[in-house]
Amino acid sequence: MSKRKLKKNSKETSAVVGLKQASQSEQYDMLLYVAALALIVAICVVPLTPEMFISGLPQHQHTVLKMDEAFLTVKNELDTEVAVSWVSERCYQCLYQQLGVVPAASSPGQPSSGDFVVSTQHEITLQLNSTPVSLELCTLPFHFGERGNYSLWLKSLNDPSSFNCTVVTNAEPVNSYIPILVAFLVFAGLALVSAIGRLILGLDVVKGILFRIGGSMETERLINSELGSPGRTVTTITENILPHAPNQSKRLRSLDTFRGISLVIMVFVNYGGGRYWFFRHESWNGLTVADLVFPWFVFIMGTSISLSINSLLRAGSTRCSLLRKVLWRSLQLFLIGVFVINPNYCQGSLTWYNLRIPGVLQRLAWSYLVVASLDLMVARGHLDILTMDAWWSPGLDILLYWPTWLCVLLLEFIWLCLTFLLPVQGCPTGYLGPGGIGDMGLYTNCTGGAAGFIDRWLLGENHIYQTPSSRVIYATHMPFDPEGVLGSINSILMAFLGLQAGKIILHYRDRHQSIMSRFLIWGLFLGVISAVLTKCSTDQGFIPVNKNLWSLSYVTTLACFAFVLLVLVYYTVDVKKWWSGAPFYYPGMNSILVYVGHEVFEEYFPFRWRMSNSQSHAEHLTQNLVATSCWVFISYVLYRKKIFWKI
């Protein structure tokens, strides 16, 4: 061979070895992930006996306690019946709900008793009233432990008008958080092992060994190719290693990683989250882990819109052709969403009478349609001719697109007017509460205020979500859809803030410090707005943080978190390259397939199986982690096979 060919082959060898090392690194990460999951399964799934169901109960007691329940015996030494009521600390201005009645003591020193099952998810306040004359005897806040056994003694003091209430622990509760602690430690250990492994693989000595091993094999391949192996076609170096994704070389890995983080948590939460309360949606105001992920997904969708439209305009696509694609993709997303959330075909024929219309993919479709259409009106294909030295350059990414900002602010003005000025029969104007037993039961049928009213008026009660999360604590009975019409306006705002993140990346490209500082400034600005709107409280602000309503403060709060998280992921993945984004990167590359797949195959093995103890957090957590990990592994295999589902 000539010297030029040898030099070229040497460069090819180095490139191939580098790509192989990257591929081996991905396999290394996935092997560690699988090993960690296997360890969690081995630790958390333990033999379960029937005695575990009645842990802490007296031998004569046959009450079977479920998850998040405890056993309470009320001992009454008074000569009058006592009504026992309760209310959760998470229930704002709520009516007490009655547990039951304890009869009067038969004789002095011989107390009567009543047995009850109480919730252990949150602290509750017990109230004891005498009957038939309702006189409050005592009020006692207490946080019961799961499957604990407790006694509440009600005694009369020397003063006839004074009473003493004391809770005694008969049997200690179980620690239901150990399984999730074990899972956290195992995955934290996985991350540590991965970091140490990458550090070792980055040493010059190890690199030299891998290069010599890989180089000798590649040299032999190149020699064979020069001799002309029969029936062999010479391909580019990256053809069998990198997926065929558009603009792969310019694709920011951090964006797919961010999307993957949101998606993986969303799948885990949808599968049950181990049945822990903080992996379920908040009943009304406030935030849990489950309330974070959907807005983040909408946010990063807006970022991708900005980068994608800019790339297509630079490639020569016309705005009309792109608008047609946007319309078609939005329609596809909407229809897929309707099919996914109406799986009644397993229970019989579908009926239009109770077909649910709003949903997650439907809201994504609406947000995508509006934000992409707005961006198409003002997006610039060539940004390199814009000056960065003028006094107004720090606001370049906003000033250049002022028409879209006006449109979004107008939409937000419409949301505020409808929310706070639209009259709703039987409800106070501007009501943002859950109805039910909230607000002292004054507005039982006012769940969601204007948002609920608009959905029931436009879509009909039978076509919206029938079991909202407000039923859990507030005992509401009105249908209410968290993906309803009015909240979709604020989802547009969330996607538009993500679009703004994309504009920052475009205008300050290759200037990492400027990009990250802008992200942090936006995060701080939105955080201040949230603090003002909520008065730094859960329920007493002007506009509380509320996922069901997709309130303005909910959007600003979650957008604040999104900008900060994006800074961290961008810095570690794309700037410093300390982290490859695995394993979240792979589902982020196939987000639509993973989301639709996890909804459609939710009830099938290996995503769900019959458990030996359905009241075990450990077994639920294991099942949900296995199901989520299956989708991570599927997305990894599809990534290796270069299969990407785009619509």
Side-chain angles (χ1 to χ4, degrees), residues 288-306:
T288 64
V289 175
D291 299 320
L292 305 177
V293 288
F294 184 29
W296 286 353
F297 198 87
V298 175
F299 178 90
I300 206 65
M301 179 186 70
T303 307
S304 300
I305 288 173
S306 177

Side-chain angles (χ1 to χ4, degrees), residues 68-101:
D68 304 319
E69 289 183 348
F71 188 79
L72 174 66
T73 300
V74 178
K75 303 285 188 178
N76 179 19
E77 294 188 355
L78 307 183
D79 57 358
T80 180
E81 285 188 340
V82 174
V84 184
S85 305
W86 72 282
V87 67
S88 171
E89 65 156 353
R90 305 298 287 267
C91 198
Y92 181 64
Q93 294 182 342
C94 288
L95 295 173
Y96 279 87
Q97 303 176 73
Q98 186 167 326
L99 270 177
V101 176

Side-chain angles (χ1 to χ4, degrees), residues 271-577:
Y271 277 152
R275 297 298 190 271
Y276 290 102
W277 67 268
F278 43 82
F279 287 133
R280 296 176 180 174
H281 293 295
E282 187 60 78
S283 187
W284 199 248
N285 294 334
L287 286 176
T288 64
V289 175
D291 299 320
L292 305 177
V293 288
F294 184 29
W296 286 353
F297 198 87
V298 175
F299 178 90
I300 206 65
M301 179 186 70
T303 307
S304 300
I305 288 173
S306 177
L307 302 181
S308 175
I309 288 180
N310 175 263
S311 176
L312 292 171
L313 289 176
R314 289 174 66 91
S317 299
T318 64
R319 297 178 192 270
C320 289
S321 64
L322 292 181
L323 182 59
R324 286 194 296 269
K325 291 180 180 179
V326 167
L327 291 170
W328 174 235
R329 190 183 190 209
S330 301
L331 179 61
Q332 286 180 290
L333 275 174
F334 188 91
L335 293 177
I336 292 173
V338 172
F339 293 143
V340 165
I341 63 172
N342 291 282
N344 296 325
Y345 49 78
C346 295
Q347 305 167 1
S349 301
L350 284 173
T351 171
W352 291 106
Y353 175 74
N354 58 358
L355 184 76
R356 184 187 172 195
I357 298 175
V360 171
L361 290 181
Q362 295 91 309
R363 174 159 287 184
L364 285 175
W366 171 249
S367 304
Y368 174 79
L369 173 63
V370 175
V371 173
S373 300
L374 288 175
D375 193 43
L376 276 174
M377 293 192 304
V378 296
R380 297 167 179 252
H382 300 281
L383 303 176
D384 50 344
I385 61 173
L386 299 174
T387 179
M388 301 296 292
D389 301 324
W391 64 269
W392 48 269
S393 58
L396 188 68
D397 49 315
I398 297 176
L399 296 174
L400 289 175
Y401 310 106
W402 63 268
T404 58
W405 278 95
L406 287 180
C407 292
V408 171
L409 291 176
L410 177 60
L411 286 174
E412 196 56 39
F413 179 75
I414 293 173
W415 182 85
L416 290 170
C417 289
L418 290 175
T419 300
F420 291 102
L421 300 179
L422 182 68
V424 179
Q425 185 177 4
C427 306
T429 303
Y431 182 70
L432 298 176
I437 63 173
D439 300 295
M440 307 312 296
L442 297 175
Y443 314 116
T444 304
N445 298 325
C446 295
T447 303
F453 170 75
I454 290 174
D455 288 340
R456 292 188 290 270
W457 174 58
L458 286 178
L459 305 175
E461 288 192 6
N462 294 327
H463 298 293
I464 59 179
Y465 196 44
Q466 300 296 307
T467 56
S469 58
S470 56
R471 290 194 172 198
V472 177
I473 291 180
Y474 289 92
T476 59
H477 57 82
M478 293 292 291
F480 181 83
D481 208 305
E483 278 78 49
V485 175
L486 194 57
S488 296
I489 295 178
N490 281 339
S491 70
I492 292 172
L493 175 62
M494 189 73 186
F496 187 76
L497 291 171
L499 184 83
Q500 180 63 28
K503 297 299 184 186
I504 292 172
I505 293 172
L506 289 173
H507 284 284
Y508 299 92
R509 58 190 181 278
D510 301 326
R511 298 170 61 180
H512 303 309
Q513 187 174 358
S514 297
I515 290 175
M516 291 187 293
S517 62
R518 296 282 292 183
F519 285 171
L520 291 175
I521 290 172
W522 268 104
L524 177 62
F525 174 69
L526 293 167
V528 170
I529 292 178
S530 297
V532 172
L533 292 176
T534 63
K535 297 182 181 179
C536 297
S537 68
T538 302
D539 299 294
Q540 298 175 355
F542 301 108
I543 304 178
V545 172
N546 190 295
K547 189 266 180 186
N548 286 283
L549 297 172
W550 270 68
S551 62
L552 177 58
S553 59
Y554 176 70
V555 171
T556 55
T557 302
L558 270 296
C560 167
F561 294 165
F563 273 111
V564 174
L565 179 60
L566 187 56
V567 168
L568 296 175
V569 177
Y570 178 76
Y571 183 73
T572 55
V573 174
D574 284 323
V575 179
K576 291 297 185 180
K577 303 189 186 301

Side-chain angles (χ1 to χ4, degrees), residues 166-344:
T166 306
V167 174
V168 178
T169 302
N170 301 324
E172 293 295 329
V174 300
N175 191 339
S176 60
Y177 298 110
I178 288 179
I180 199 166
L181 177 62
V182 169
F184 172 77
L185 293 176
V186 170
F187 280 117
L190 161 68
L192 181 61
V193 171
S194 177
I196 294 174
R198 288 181 178 278
L199 185 63
I200 293 174
L201 291 174
L203 297 175
D204 292 336
V205 176
V206 178
K207 282 184 178 180
I209 295 173
L210 293 176
F211 181 80
R212 285 194 294 272
I213 295 174
S216 60
M217 296 173 60
E218 188 60 24
T219 301
E220 182 179 353
R221 188 192 70 80
L222 291 172
I223 292 174
N224 291 334
S225 67
E226 283 295 322
L227 294 175
S229 300
R232 184 166 182 171
T233 304
V234 179
T235 61
T236 60
I237 300 174
T238 61
E239 184 174 355
N240 297 320
I241 299 174
L242 297 178
H244 290 299
N247 299 324
Q248 181 68 25
S249 60
K250 298 180 181 179
R251 194 180 185 105
L252 285 175
R253 198 175 181 96
S254 58
L255 300 186
D256 291 309
T257 302
F258 185 101
R259 185 186 300 109
I261 292 173
S262 305
L263 184 60
V264 168
I265 300 176
M266 187 186 298
V267 171
F268 175 68
V269 166
N270 288 349
Y271 277 152
R275 297 298 190 271
Y276 290 102
W277 67 268
F278 43 82
F279 287 133
R280 296 176 180 174
H281 293 295
E282 187 60 78
S283 187
W284 199 248
N285 294 334
L287 286 176
T288 64
V289 175
D291 299 320
L292 305 177
V293 288
F294 184 29
W296 286 353
F297 198 87
V298 175
F299 178 90
I300 206 65
M301 179 186 70
T303 307
S304 300
I305 288 173
S306 177
L307 302 181
S308 175
I309 288 180
N310 175 263
S311 176
L312 292 171
L313 289 176
R314 289 174 66 91
S317 299
T318 64
R319 297 178 192 270
C320 289
S321 64
L322 292 181
L323 182 59
R324 286 194 296 269
K325 291 180 180 179
V326 167
L327 291 170
W328 174 235
R329 190 183 190 209
S330 301
L331 179 61
Q332 286 180 290
L333 275 174
F334 188 91
L335 293 177
I336 292 173
V338 172
F339 293 143
V340 165
I341 63 172
N342 291 282
N344 296 325

